[in-house]
Amino acid sequence: MFGFGLFAWVVVIVGIVLLVRWLSGGGRSSGRRDEDRALAILRERYARGEIDKAEFDARKQDLS
């Protein structure tokens, strides 16, 4: 009986942790969003003329 109660608490705690991670956008997908945002900033800087084509290509390669 004690083992089942302990197991139930572990399931509840793991469920809460997974729910919080999912709601906060954590996990593996967040890295991809960071890369997308970095590339968007790089494109904006290139469009504004802050960096030239060579620097844009070099930094884009670094992000890939």
Side-chain angles (χ1 to χ4, degrees), residues 17-56:
V17 168
L18 292 175
L19 179 64
V20 168
R21 285 189 63 183
W22 179 73
L23 289 174
S24 68
R28 298 178 186 191
S29 63
S30 66
R32 179 70 180 154
R33 283 184 281 177
D34 291 342
E35 289 176 15
D36 292 342
R37 180 67 185 135
L39 189 55
I41 292 170
L42 184 62
R43 286 183 177 137
E44 291 171 8
R45 291 187 63 202
Y46 179 64
R48 287 193 299 258
E50 294 177 11
I51 59 175
D52 61 4
K53 175 84 168 123
E55 188 174 356
F56 174 81

PDB file of all heavy atoms in Angstrom, residues 17-56:
ATOM      1  N   VAL A  17       6.030  18.742 -13.452  1.00  0.00           N
ATOM      2  CA  VAL A  17       7.262  19.213 -14.098  1.00  0.00           C
ATOM      3  C   VAL A  17       7.088  19.254 -15.620  1.00  0.00           C
ATOM      4  O   VAL A  17       7.459  20.244 -16.264  1.00  0.00           O
ATOM      5  CB  VAL A  17       8.463  18.322 -13.699  1.00  0.00           C
ATOM      6  CG1 VAL A  17       9.673  18.607 -14.560  1.00  0.00           C
ATOM      7  CG2 VAL A  17       8.792  18.512 -12.231  1.00  0.00           C
ATOM      8  N   LEU A  18       6.533  18.216 -16.196  1.00  0.00           N
ATOM      9  CA  LEU A  18       6.317  18.191 -17.646  1.00  0.00           C
ATOM     10  C   LEU A  18       5.335  19.273 -18.093  1.00  0.00           C
ATOM     11  O   LEU A  18       5.532  19.897 -19.134  1.00  0.00           O
ATOM     12  CB  LEU A  18       5.827  16.809 -18.086  1.00  0.00           C
ATOM     13  CG  LEU A  18       6.850  15.677 -17.963  1.00  0.00           C
ATOM     14  CD1 LEU A  18       6.203  14.343 -18.314  1.00  0.00           C
ATOM     15  CD2 LEU A  18       8.065  15.944 -18.823  1.00  0.00           C
ATOM     16  N   LEU A  19       4.307  19.508 -17.320  1.00  0.00           N
ATOM     17  CA  LEU A  19       3.333  20.546 -17.649  1.00  0.00           C
ATOM     18  C   LEU A  19       3.981  21.929 -17.628  1.00  0.00           C
ATOM     19  O   LEU A  19       3.778  22.738 -18.535  1.00  0.00           O
ATOM     20  CB  LEU A  19       2.152  20.497 -16.671  1.00  0.00           C
ATOM     21  CG  LEU A  19       1.060  21.550 -16.883  1.00  0.00           C
ATOM     22  CD1 LEU A  19       0.374  21.338 -18.227  1.00  0.00           C
ATOM     23  CD2 LEU A  19       0.051  21.495 -15.757  1.00  0.00           C
ATOM     24  N   VAL A  20       4.787  22.191 -16.610  1.00  0.00           N
ATOM     25  CA  VAL A  20       5.467  23.487 -16.512  1.00  0.00           C
ATOM     26  C   VAL A  20       6.431  23.669 -17.681  1.00  0.00           C
ATOM     27  O   VAL A  20       6.494  24.741 -18.290  1.00  0.00           O
ATOM     28  CB  VAL A  20       6.193  23.611 -15.155  1.00  0.00           C
ATOM     29  CG1 VAL A  20       7.140  24.793 -15.144  1.00  0.00           C
ATOM     30  CG2 VAL A  20       5.178  23.723 -14.029  1.00  0.00           C
ATOM     31  N   ARG A  21       7.169  22.635 -18.024  1.00  0.00           N
ATOM     32  CA  ARG A  21       8.107  22.731 -19.160  1.00  0.00           C
ATOM     33  C   ARG A  21       7.349  22.978 -20.463  1.00  0.00           C
ATOM     34  O   ARG A  21       7.787  23.758 -21.299  1.00  0.00           O
ATOM     35  CB  ARG A  21       8.939  21.457 -19.276  1.00  0.00           C
ATOM     36  CG  ARG A  21      10.005  21.374 -18.221  1.00  0.00           C
ATOM     37  CD  ARG A  21      10.934  20.244 -18.462  1.00  0.00           C
ATOM     38  NE  ARG A  21      11.641  20.458 -19.726  1.00  0.00           N
ATOM     39  CZ  ARG A  21      12.491  19.614 -20.258  1.00  0.00           C
ATOM     40  NH1 ARG A  21      12.742  18.485 -19.640  1.00  0.00           N
ATOM     41  NH2 ARG A  21      13.084  19.882 -21.390  1.00  0.00           N
ATOM     42  N   TRP A  22       6.227  22.302 -20.643  1.00  0.00           N
ATOM     43  CA  TRP A  22       5.448  22.467 -21.861  1.00  0.00           C
ATOM     44  C   TRP A  22       4.857  23.876 -21.946  1.00  0.00           C
ATOM     45  O   TRP A  22       4.907  24.512 -22.993  1.00  0.00           O
ATOM     46  CB  TRP A  22       4.340  21.420 -21.911  1.00  0.00           C
ATOM     47  CG  TRP A  22       3.483  21.535 -23.130  1.00  0.00           C
ATOM     48  CD1 TRP A  22       3.816  21.202 -24.403  1.00  0.00           C
ATOM     49  CD2 TRP A  22       2.144  22.031 -23.171  1.00  0.00           C
ATOM     50  NE1 TRP A  22       2.763  21.458 -25.231  1.00  0.00           N
ATOM     51  CE2 TRP A  22       1.725  21.965 -24.518  1.00  0.00           C
ATOM     52  CE3 TRP A  22       1.266  22.520 -22.212  1.00  0.00           C
ATOM     53  CZ2 TRP A  22       0.461  22.368 -24.910  1.00  0.00           C
ATOM     54  CZ3 TRP A  22       0.019  22.915 -22.606  1.00  0.00           C
ATOM     55  CH2 TRP A  22      -0.372  22.838 -23.944  1.00  0.00           C
ATOM     56  N   LEU A  23       4.346  24.382 -20.832  1.00  0.00           N
ATOM     57  CA  LEU A  23       3.747  25.716 -20.820  1.00  0.00           C
ATOM     58  C   LEU A  23       4.789  26.815 -21.004  1.00  0.00           C
ATOM     59  O   LEU A  23       4.499  27.866 -21.575  1.00  0.00           O
ATOM     60  CB  LEU A  23       2.978  25.944 -19.519  1.00  0.00           C
ATOM     61  CG  LEU A  23       1.684  25.155 -19.360  1.00  0.00           C
ATOM     62  CD1 LEU A  23       1.099  25.361 -17.971  1.00  0.00           C
ATOM     63  CD2 LEU A  23       0.673  25.540 -20.436  1.00  0.00           C
ATOM     64  N   SER A  24       6.005  26.582 -20.529  1.00  0.00           N
ATOM     65  CA  SER A  24       7.045  27.592 -20.657  1.00  0.00           C
ATOM     66  C   SER A  24       7.776  27.499 -21.986  1.00  0.00           C
ATOM     67  O   SER A  24       8.665  28.304 -22.262  1.00  0.00           O
ATOM     68  CB  SER A  24       8.036  27.476 -19.507  1.00  0.00           C
ATOM     69  OG  SER A  24       8.772  26.281 -19.625  1.00  0.00           O
ATOM     70  N   GLY A  25       7.419  26.549 -22.815  1.00  0.00           N
ATOM     71  CA  GLY A  25       8.066  26.402 -24.111  1.00  0.00           C
ATOM     72  C   GLY A  25       9.435  25.785 -23.997  1.00  0.00           C
ATOM     73  O   GLY A  25      10.258  25.931 -24.892  1.00  0.00           O
ATOM     74  N   GLY A  26       9.706  25.104 -22.915  1.00  0.00           N
ATOM     75  CA  GLY A  26      11.003  24.485 -22.703  1.00  0.00           C
ATOM     76  C   GLY A  26      11.185  23.246 -23.558  1.00  0.00           C
ATOM     77  O   GLY A  26      10.376  22.911 -24.413  1.00  0.00           O
ATOM     78  N   GLY A  27      12.273  22.582 -23.357  1.00  0.00           N
ATOM     79  CA  GLY A  27      12.555  21.374 -24.102  1.00  0.00           C
ATOM     80  C   GLY A  27      13.370  21.650 -25.337  1.00  0.00           C
ATOM     81  O   GLY A  27      14.006  22.682 -25.474  1.00  0.00           O
ATOM     82  N   ARG A  28      13.341  20.745 -26.258  1.00  0.00           N
ATOM     83  CA  ARG A  28      14.196  20.824 -27.435  1.00  0.00           C
ATOM     84  C   ARG A  28      13.755  21.864 -28.443  1.00  0.00           C
ATOM     85  O   ARG A  28      14.551  22.372 -29.194  1.00  0.00           O
ATOM     86  CB  ARG A  28      14.260  19.464 -28.108  1.00  0.00           C
ATOM     87  CG  ARG A  28      14.861  18.425 -27.210  1.00  0.00           C
ATOM     88  CD  ARG A  28      14.869  17.087 -27.849  1.00  0.00           C
ATOM     89  NE  ARG A  28      15.327  16.118 -26.854  1.00  0.00           N
ATOM     90  CZ  ARG A  28      15.649  14.897 -27.131  1.00  0.00           C
ATOM     91  NH1 ARG A  28      15.554  14.463 -28.349  1.00  0.00           N
ATOM     92  NH2 ARG A  28      16.059  14.098 -26.188  1.00  0.00           N
ATOM     93  N   SER A  29      12.484  22.165 -28.477  1.00  0.00           N
ATOM     94  CA  SER A  29      11.999  23.100 -29.502  1.00  0.00           C
ATOM     95  C   SER A  29      12.470  24.535 -29.274  1.00  0.00           C
ATOM     96  O   SER A  29      12.505  25.324 -30.201  1.00  0.00           O
ATOM     97  CB  SER A  29      10.472  23.071 -29.559  1.00  0.00           C
ATOM     98  OG  SER A  29       9.930  23.516 -28.338  1.00  0.00           O
ATOM     99  N   SER A  30      12.816  24.888 -28.054  1.00  0.00           N
ATOM    100  CA  SER A  30      13.228  26.261 -27.794  1.00  0.00           C
ATOM    101  C   SER A  30      14.527  26.625 -28.496  1.00  0.00           C
ATOM    102  O   SER A  30      14.728  27.764 -28.876  1.00  0.00           O
ATOM    103  CB  SER A  30      13.352  26.529 -26.302  1.00  0.00           C
ATOM    104  OG  SER A  30      14.406  25.770 -25.759  1.00  0.00           O
ATOM    105  N   GLY A  31      15.421  25.677 -28.657  1.00  0.00           N
ATOM    106  CA  GLY A  31      16.663  25.942 -29.369  1.00  0.00           C
ATOM    107  C   GLY A  31      16.428  26.336 -30.806  1.00  0.00           C
ATOM    108  O   GLY A  31      17.076  27.229 -31.345  1.00  0.00           O
ATOM    109  N   ARG A  32      15.498  25.720 -31.414  1.00  0.00           N
ATOM    110  CA  ARG A  32      15.167  26.041 -32.806  1.00  0.00           C
ATOM    111  C   ARG A  32      14.598  27.450 -32.906  1.00  0.00           C
ATOM    112  O   ARG A  32      14.918  28.198 -33.817  1.00  0.00           O
ATOM    113  CB  ARG A  32      14.177  25.007 -33.346  1.00  0.00           C
ATOM    114  CG  ARG A  32      13.742  25.248 -34.746  1.00  0.00           C
ATOM    115  CD  ARG A  32      14.886  24.992 -35.699  1.00  0.00           C
ATOM    116  NE  ARG A  32      14.435  25.237 -37.053  1.00  0.00           N
ATOM    117  CZ  ARG A  32      15.232  25.577 -38.020  1.00  0.00           C
ATOM    118  NH1 ARG A  32      16.511  25.687 -37.809  1.00  0.00           N
ATOM    119  NH2 ARG A  32      14.762  25.794 -39.209  1.00  0.00           N
ATOM    120  N   ARG A  33      13.766  27.829 -31.956  1.00  0.00           N
ATOM    121  CA  ARG A  33      13.204  29.185 -31.973  1.00  0.00           C
ATOM    122  C   ARG A  33      14.283  30.236 -31.773  1.00  0.00           C
ATOM    123  O   ARG A  33      14.224  31.303 -32.365  1.00  0.00           O
ATOM    124  CB  ARG A  33      12.118  29.326 -30.919  1.00  0.00           C
ATOM    125  CG  ARG A  33      10.806  28.677 -31.358  1.00  0.00           C
ATOM    126  CD  ARG A  33       9.772  28.919 -30.340  1.00  0.00           C
ATOM    127  NE  ARG A  33      10.028  27.965 -29.271  1.00  0.00           N
ATOM    128  CZ  ARG A  33       9.359  27.899 -28.157  1.00  0.00           C
ATOM    129  NH1 ARG A  33       8.409  28.739 -27.924  1.00  0.00           N
ATOM    130  NH2 ARG A  33       9.643  26.998 -27.248  1.00  0.00           N
ATOM    131  N   ASP A  34      15.267  29.915 -30.952  1.00  0.00           N
ATOM    132  CA  ASP A  34      16.386  30.851 -30.753  1.00  0.00           C
ATOM    133  C   ASP A  34      17.160  31.042 -32.051  1.00  0.00           C
ATOM    134  O   ASP A  34      17.560  32.148 -32.382  1.00  0.00           O
ATOM    135  CB  ASP A  34      17.329  30.348 -29.657  1.00  0.00           C
ATOM    136  CG  ASP A  34      16.706  30.403 -28.280  1.00  0.00           C
ATOM    137  OD1 ASP A  34      15.707  31.138 -28.117  1.00  0.00           O
ATOM    138  OD2 ASP A  34      17.207  29.721 -27.370  1.00  0.00           O
ATOM    139  N   GLU A  35      17.378  29.941 -32.787  1.00  0.00           N
ATOM    140  CA  GLU A  35      18.078  30.031 -34.061  1.00  0.00           C
ATOM    141  C   GLU A  35      17.272  30.853 -35.062  1.00  0.00           C
ATOM    142  O   GLU A  35      17.836  31.665 -35.787  1.00  0.00           O
ATOM    143  CB  GLU A  35      18.338  28.640 -34.625  1.00  0.00           C
ATOM    144  CG  GLU A  35      19.376  27.851 -33.884  1.00  0.00           C
ATOM    145  CD  GLU A  35      19.536  26.448 -34.422  1.00  0.00           C
ATOM    146  OE1 GLU A  35      19.043  26.178 -35.539  1.00  0.00           O
ATOM    147  OE2 GLU A  35      20.143  25.625 -33.722  1.00  0.00           O
ATOM    148  N   ASP A  36      15.955  30.635 -35.099  1.00  0.00           N
ATOM    149  CA  ASP A  36      15.099  31.403 -36.004  1.00  0.00           C
ATOM    150  C   ASP A  36      15.149  32.884 -35.672  1.00  0.00           C
ATOM    151  O   ASP A  36      15.216  33.725 -36.569  1.00  0.00           O
ATOM    152  CB  ASP A  36      13.650  30.902 -35.941  1.00  0.00           C
ATOM    153  CG  ASP A  36      13.484  29.511 -36.518  1.00  0.00           C
ATOM    154  OD1 ASP A  36      14.380  29.052 -37.261  1.00  0.00           O
ATOM    155  OD2 ASP A  36      12.455  28.880 -36.215  1.00  0.00           O
ATOM    156  N   ARG A  37      15.128  33.230 -34.402  1.00  0.00           N
ATOM    157  CA  ARG A  37      15.172  34.629 -33.979  1.00  0.00           C
ATOM    158  C   ARG A  37      16.525  35.240 -34.319  1.00  0.00           C
ATOM    159  O   ARG A  37      16.598  36.380 -34.774  1.00  0.00           O
ATOM    160  CB  ARG A  37      14.895  34.726 -32.473  1.00  0.00           C
ATOM    161  CG  ARG A  37      14.915  36.127 -31.950  1.00  0.00           C
ATOM    162  CD  ARG A  37      13.762  36.947 -32.498  1.00  0.00           C
ATOM    163  NE  ARG A  37      13.923  38.313 -32.047  1.00  0.00           N
ATOM    164  CZ  ARG A  37      13.776  39.369 -32.805  1.00  0.00           C
ATOM    165  NH1 ARG A  37      13.416  39.228 -34.064  1.00  0.00           N
ATOM    166  NH2 ARG A  37      13.958  40.575 -32.340  1.00  0.00           N
ATOM    167  N   ALA A  38      17.599  34.483 -34.120  1.00  0.00           N
ATOM    168  CA  ALA A  38      18.932  34.992 -34.448  1.00  0.00           C
ATOM    169  C   ALA A  38      19.050  35.256 -35.944  1.00  0.00           C
ATOM    170  O   ALA A  38      19.601  36.283 -36.366  1.00  0.00           O
ATOM    171  CB  ALA A  38      20.000  34.001 -33.995  1.00  0.00           C
ATOM    172  N   LEU A  39      18.515  34.376 -36.757  1.00  0.00           N
ATOM    173  CA  LEU A  39      18.556  34.569 -38.205  1.00  0.00           C
ATOM    174  C   LEU A  39      17.699  35.759 -38.614  1.00  0.00           C
ATOM    175  O   LEU A  39      18.083  36.530 -39.503  1.00  0.00           O
ATOM    176  CB  LEU A  39      18.097  33.302 -38.921  1.00  0.00           C
ATOM    177  CG  LEU A  39      18.277  33.261 -40.419  1.00  0.00           C
ATOM    178  CD1 LEU A  39      19.718  33.528 -40.814  1.00  0.00           C
ATOM    179  CD2 LEU A  39      17.809  31.933 -40.978  1.00  0.00           C
ATOM    180  N   ALA A  40      16.567  35.954 -37.968  1.00  0.00           N
ATOM    181  CA  ALA A  40      15.711  37.103 -38.268  1.00  0.00           C
ATOM    182  C   ALA A  40      16.437  38.411 -37.939  1.00  0.00           C
ATOM    183  O   ALA A  40      16.368  39.379 -38.717  1.00  0.00           O
ATOM    184  CB  ALA A  40      14.406  37.008 -37.485  1.00  0.00           C
ATOM    185  N   ILE A  41      17.135  38.449 -36.811  1.00  0.00           N
ATOM    186  CA  ILE A  41      17.900  39.648 -36.444  1.00  0.00           C
ATOM    187  C   ILE A  41      19.009  39.886 -37.458  1.00  0.00           C
ATOM    188  O   ILE A  41      19.245  41.021 -37.879  1.00  0.00           O
ATOM    189  CB  ILE A  41      18.470  39.505 -35.022  1.00  0.00           C
ATOM    190  CG1 ILE A  41      17.335  39.527 -33.994  1.00  0.00           C
ATOM    191  CG2 ILE A  41      19.493  40.598 -34.724  1.00  0.00           C
ATOM    192  CD1 ILE A  41      17.767  39.152 -32.595  1.00  0.00           C
ATOM    193  N   LEU A  42      19.678  38.813 -37.867  1.00  0.00           N
ATOM    194  CA  LEU A  42      20.747  38.933 -38.857  1.00  0.00           C
ATOM    195  C   LEU A  42      20.210  39.495 -40.167  1.00  0.00           C
ATOM    196  O   LEU A  42      20.822  40.395 -40.761  1.00  0.00           O
ATOM    197  CB  LEU A  42      21.389  37.566 -39.082  1.00  0.00           C
ATOM    198  CG  LEU A  42      22.593  37.516 -40.008  1.00  0.00           C
ATOM    199  CD1 LEU A  42      23.735  38.362 -39.440  1.00  0.00           C
ATOM    200  CD2 LEU A  42      23.037  36.069 -40.198  1.00  0.00           C
ATOM    201  N   ARG A  43      19.060  39.027 -40.597  1.00  0.00           N
ATOM    202  CA  ARG A  43      18.440  39.543 -41.829  1.00  0.00           C
ATOM    203  C   ARG A  43      18.066  41.015 -41.693  1.00  0.00           C
ATOM    204  O   ARG A  43      18.230  41.792 -42.638  1.00  0.00           O
ATOM    205  CB  ARG A  43      17.213  38.712 -42.173  1.00  0.00           C
ATOM    206  CG  ARG A  43      17.551  37.353 -42.711  1.00  0.00           C
ATOM    207  CD  ARG A  43      16.308  36.580 -43.101  1.00  0.00           C
ATOM    208  NE  ARG A  43      16.678  35.313 -43.683  1.00  0.00           N
ATOM    209  CZ  ARG A  43      16.084  34.169 -43.415  1.00  0.00           C
ATOM    210  NH1 ARG A  43      15.053  34.142 -42.568  1.00  0.00           N
ATOM    211  NH2 ARG A  43      16.484  33.059 -43.988  1.00  0.00           N
ATOM    212  N   GLU A  44      17.550  41.386 -40.523  1.00  0.00           N
ATOM    213  CA  GLU A  44      17.205  42.789 -40.298  1.00  0.00           C
ATOM    214  C   GLU A  44      18.437  43.687 -40.376  1.00  0.00           C
ATOM    215  O   GLU A  44      18.397  44.759 -40.981  1.00  0.00           O
ATOM    216  CB  GLU A  44      16.536  42.955 -38.922  1.00  0.00           C
ATOM    217  CG  GLU A  44      15.159  42.350 -38.829  1.00  0.00           C
ATOM    218  CD  GLU A  44      14.623  42.335 -37.406  1.00  0.00           C
ATOM    219  OE1 GLU A  44      15.257  42.931 -36.511  1.00  0.00           O
ATOM    220  OE2 GLU A  44      13.585  41.705 -37.183  1.00  0.00           O
ATOM    221  N   ARG A  45      19.522  43.239 -39.771  1.00  0.00           N
ATOM    222  CA  ARG A  45      20.761  44.030 -39.799  1.00  0.00           C
ATOM    223  C   ARG A  45      21.282  44.168 -41.231  1.00  0.00           C
ATOM    224  O   ARG A  45      21.768  45.232 -41.618  1.00  0.00           O
ATOM    225  CB  ARG A  45      21.823  43.385 -38.905  1.00  0.00           C
ATOM    226  CG  ARG A  45      21.483  43.481 -37.431  1.00  0.00           C
ATOM    227  CD  ARG A  45      22.608  43.004 -36.560  1.00  0.00           C
ATOM    228  NE  ARG A  45      23.766  43.863 -36.750  1.00  0.00           N
ATOM    229  CZ  ARG A  45      25.003  43.495 -36.482  1.00  0.00           C
ATOM    230  NH1 ARG A  45      25.255  42.285 -36.026  1.00  0.00           N
ATOM    231  NH2 ARG A  45      26.003  44.322 -36.677  1.00  0.00           N
ATOM    232  N   TYR A  46      21.178  43.112 -42.010  1.00  0.00           N
ATOM    233  CA  TYR A  46      21.619  43.155 -43.402  1.00  0.00           C
ATOM    234  C   TYR A  46      20.720  44.099 -44.208  1.00  0.00           C
ATOM    235  O   TYR A  46      21.207  44.906 -45.006  1.00  0.00           O
ATOM    236  CB  TYR A  46      21.604  41.754 -44.001  1.00  0.00           C
ATOM    237  CG  TYR A  46      22.022  41.699 -45.446  1.00  0.00           C
ATOM    238  CD1 TYR A  46      23.317  42.047 -45.832  1.00  0.00           C
ATOM    239  CD2 TYR A  46      21.134  41.295 -46.433  1.00  0.00           C
ATOM    240  CE1 TYR A  46      23.707  41.996 -47.162  1.00  0.00           C
ATOM    241  CE2 TYR A  46      21.510  41.243 -47.754  1.00  0.00           C
ATOM    242  CZ  TYR A  46      22.800  41.594 -48.119  1.00  0.00           C
ATOM    243  OH  TYR A  46      23.173  41.552 -49.439  1.00  0.00           O
ATOM    244  N   ALA A  47      19.433  44.034 -43.962  1.00  0.00           N
ATOM    245  CA  ALA A  47      18.486  44.893 -44.680  1.00  0.00           C
ATOM    246  C   ALA A  47      18.705  46.369 -44.352  1.00  0.00           C
ATOM    247  O   ALA A  47      18.529  47.233 -45.215  1.00  0.00           O
ATOM    248  CB  ALA A  47      17.053  44.483 -44.344  1.00  0.00           C
ATOM    249  N   ARG A  48      19.089  46.657 -43.115  1.00  0.00           N
ATOM    250  CA  ARG A  48      19.356  48.046 -42.724  1.00  0.00           C
ATOM    251  C   ARG A  48      20.723  48.531 -43.181  1.00  0.00           C
ATOM    252  O   ARG A  48      21.040  49.707 -43.058  1.00  0.00           O
ATOM    253  CB  ARG A  48      19.262  48.189 -41.200  1.00  0.00           C
ATOM    254  CG  ARG A  48      17.851  48.137 -40.660  1.00  0.00           C
ATOM    255  CD  ARG A  48      17.794  48.585 -39.206  1.00  0.00           C
ATOM    256  NE  ARG A  48      18.597  47.749 -38.339  1.00  0.00           N
ATOM    257  CZ  ARG A  48      18.120  46.787 -37.542  1.00  0.00           C
ATOM    258  NH1 ARG A  48      16.831  46.544 -37.525  1.00  0.00           N
ATOM    259  NH2 ARG A  48      18.921  46.092 -36.774  1.00  0.00           N
ATOM    260  N   GLY A  49      21.546  47.631 -43.695  1.00  0.00           N
ATOM    261  CA  GLY A  49      22.865  48.011 -44.166  1.00  0.00           C
ATOM    262  C   GLY A  49      23.922  48.043 -43.079  1.00  0.00           C
ATOM    263  O   GLY A  49      25.008  48.575 -43.281  1.00  0.00           O
ATOM    264  N   GLU A  50      23.623  47.483 -41.928  1.00  0.00           N
ATOM    265  CA  GLU A  50      24.589  47.467 -40.825  1.00  0.00           C
ATOM    266  C   GLU A  50      25.738  46.501 -41.101  1.00  0.00           C
ATOM    267  O   GLU A  50      26.842  46.697 -40.588  1.00  0.00           O
ATOM    268  CB  GLU A  50      23.895  47.078 -39.522  1.00  0.00           C
ATOM    269  CG  GLU A  50      22.883  48.089 -39.043  1.00  0.00           C
ATOM    270  CD  GLU A  50      22.168  47.634 -37.777  1.00  0.00           C
ATOM    271  OE1 GLU A  50      22.592  46.632 -37.158  1.00  0.00           O
ATOM    272  OE2 GLU A  50      21.181  48.281 -37.401  1.00  0.00           O
ATOM    273  N   ILE A  51      25.467  45.450 -41.858  1.00  0.00           N
ATOM    274  CA  ILE A  51      26.507  44.481 -42.219  1.00  0.00           C
ATOM    275  C   ILE A  51      26.465  44.263 -43.719  1.00  0.00           C
ATOM    276  O   ILE A  51      25.429  44.458 -44.361  1.00  0.00           O
ATOM    277  CB  ILE A  51      26.330  43.141 -41.469  1.00  0.00           C
ATOM    278  CG1 ILE A  51      24.968  42.514 -41.762  1.00  0.00           C
ATOM    279  CG2 ILE A  51      26.548  43.313 -39.978  1.00  0.00           C
ATOM    280  CD1 ILE A  51      24.776  41.133 -41.155  1.00  0.00           C
ATOM    281  N   ASP A  52      27.595  43.857 -44.287  1.00  0.00           N
ATOM    282  CA  ASP A  52      27.641  43.625 -45.734  1.00  0.00           C
ATOM    283  C   ASP A  52      27.345  42.156 -46.041  1.00  0.00           C
ATOM    284  O   ASP A  52      27.133  41.337 -45.138  1.00  0.00           O
ATOM    285  CB  ASP A  52      28.995  44.062 -46.307  1.00  0.00           C
ATOM    286  CG  ASP A  52      30.166  43.296 -45.727  1.00  0.00           C
ATOM    287  OD1 ASP A  52      29.938  42.358 -44.929  1.00  0.00           O
ATOM    288  OD2 ASP A  52      31.312  43.631 -46.071  1.00  0.00           O
ATOM    289  N   LYS A  53      27.320  41.826 -47.325  1.00  0.00           N
ATOM    290  CA  LYS A  53      26.958  40.484 -47.778  1.00  0.00           C
ATOM    291  C   LYS A  53      27.927  39.437 -47.239  1.00  0.00           C
ATOM    292  O   LYS A  53      27.500  38.357 -46.801  1.00  0.00           O
ATOM    293  CB  LYS A  53      26.940  40.451 -49.306  1.00  0.00           C
ATOM    294  CG  LYS A  53      26.698  39.094 -49.919  1.00  0.00           C
ATOM    295  CD  LYS A  53      25.233  38.807 -49.981  1.00  0.00           C
ATOM    296  CE  LYS A  53      25.003  37.571 -50.862  1.00  0.00           C
ATOM    297  NZ  LYS A  53      24.297  36.537 -50.158  1.00  0.00           N
ATOM    298  N   ALA A  54      29.215  39.730 -47.236  1.00  0.00           N
ATOM    299  CA  ALA A  54      30.207  38.761 -46.757  1.00  0.00           C
ATOM    300  C   ALA A  54      29.997  38.451 -45.276  1.00  0.00           C
ATOM    301  O   ALA A  54      30.036  37.287 -44.855  1.00  0.00           O
ATOM    302  CB  ALA A  54      31.610  39.295 -47.006  1.00  0.00           C
ATOM    303  N   GLU A  55      29.770  39.492 -44.478  1.00  0.00           N
ATOM    304  CA  GLU A  55      29.548  39.269 -43.051  1.00  0.00           C
ATOM    305  C   GLU A  55      28.233  38.536 -42.814  1.00  0.00           C
ATOM    306  O   GLU A  55      28.148  37.651 -41.968  1.00  0.00           O
ATOM    307  CB  GLU A  55      29.555  40.599 -42.297  1.00  0.00           C
ATOM    308  CG  GLU A  55      29.513  40.432 -40.798  1.00  0.00           C
ATOM    309  CD  GLU A  55      29.654  41.733 -40.031  1.00  0.00           C
ATOM    310  OE1 GLU A  55      29.864  42.787 -40.655  1.00  0.00           O
ATOM    311  OE2 GLU A  55      29.548  41.674 -38.794  1.00  0.00           O
ATOM    312  N   PHE A  56      27.209  38.891 -43.591  1.00  0.00           N
ATOM    313  CA  PHE A  56      25.923  38.202 -43.482  1.00  0.00           C
ATOM    314  C   PHE A  56      26.088  36.714 -43.747  1.00  0.00           C
ATOM    315  O   PHE A  56      25.617  35.878 -42.977  1.00  0.00           O
ATOM    316  CB  PHE A  56      24.908  38.810 -44.457  1.00  0.00           C
ATOM    317  CG  PHE A  56      23.604  38.057 -44.513  1.00  0.00           C
ATOM    318  CD1 PHE A  56      22.631  38.253 -43.553  1.00  0.00           C
ATOM    319  CD2 PHE A  56      23.350  37.140 -45.526  1.00  0.00           C
ATOM    320  CE1 PHE A  56      21.427  37.563 -43.598  1.00  0.00           C
ATOM    321  CE2 PHE A  56      22.158  36.439 -45.586  1.00  0.00           C
ATOM    322  CZ  PHE A  56      21.198  36.653 -44.611  1.00  0.00           C
TER     323      PHE A  56
END
